[in-house]
Amino acid sequence: KLPEAPFLKINFDATFKAHFTKSYSGLVIKDDRSGIIGKRVILNEYASFVFAAKALSYLQALKLGVEMGLRDVVIEGDSLIVIKK
């Protein structure tokens, strides 16, 4: 679902590789017309379990919004437990 203007949406997700103790965070920022404003993929060298990888991904989404100076933002991910915490 697209955000209503003037809001932007930052979607986040993570993939976890247990045997390497690494994860990747994927972040995408979209506007109300589905235009991509920004995107980033981040390698996280020391993720010890899935929850940590997802939580780190959420934190990185917040950080990206702050770095870009965004004020009206909705953050969305597929990990309900991370969002609630």
Side-chain angles (χ1 to χ4, degrees):
K1 184 175 172 184
L2 295 174
E4 293 183 25
F7 286 89
L8 298 174
K9 182 183 282 188
I10 303 176
N11 286 88
F12 72 93
D13 201 0
T15 184
F16 177 67
K17 304 292 183 189
H19 54 284
F20 294 118
T21 64
K22 294 182 182 182
S23 71
Y24 290 90
S25 298
L27 313 170
V28 177
I29 304 171
K30 289 187 176 183
D31 64 15
D32 60 321
R33 291 173 284 160
S34 198
I36 295 177
I37 304 300
K39 58 187 173 181
R40 187 174 289 174
V41 175
I42 302 168
L43 169 62
N44 304 302
E45 293 281 345
Y46 304 103
S48 54
F49 52 98
V50 175
F51 179 79
K54 295 269 187 182
L56 184 56
S57 183
Y58 178 69
L59 178 63
Q60 291 165 335
L62 291 172
K63 186 177 175 186
L64 178 60
V66 169
E67 286 173 2
M68 293 183 68
L70 305 178
R71 299 186 65 104
D72 299 317
V73 176
V74 175
I75 297 180
E76 182 179 86
D78 67 350
S79 181
L80 186 59
I81 194 165
V82 170
I83 294 168
K84 284 186 174 183
K85 296 277 182 195

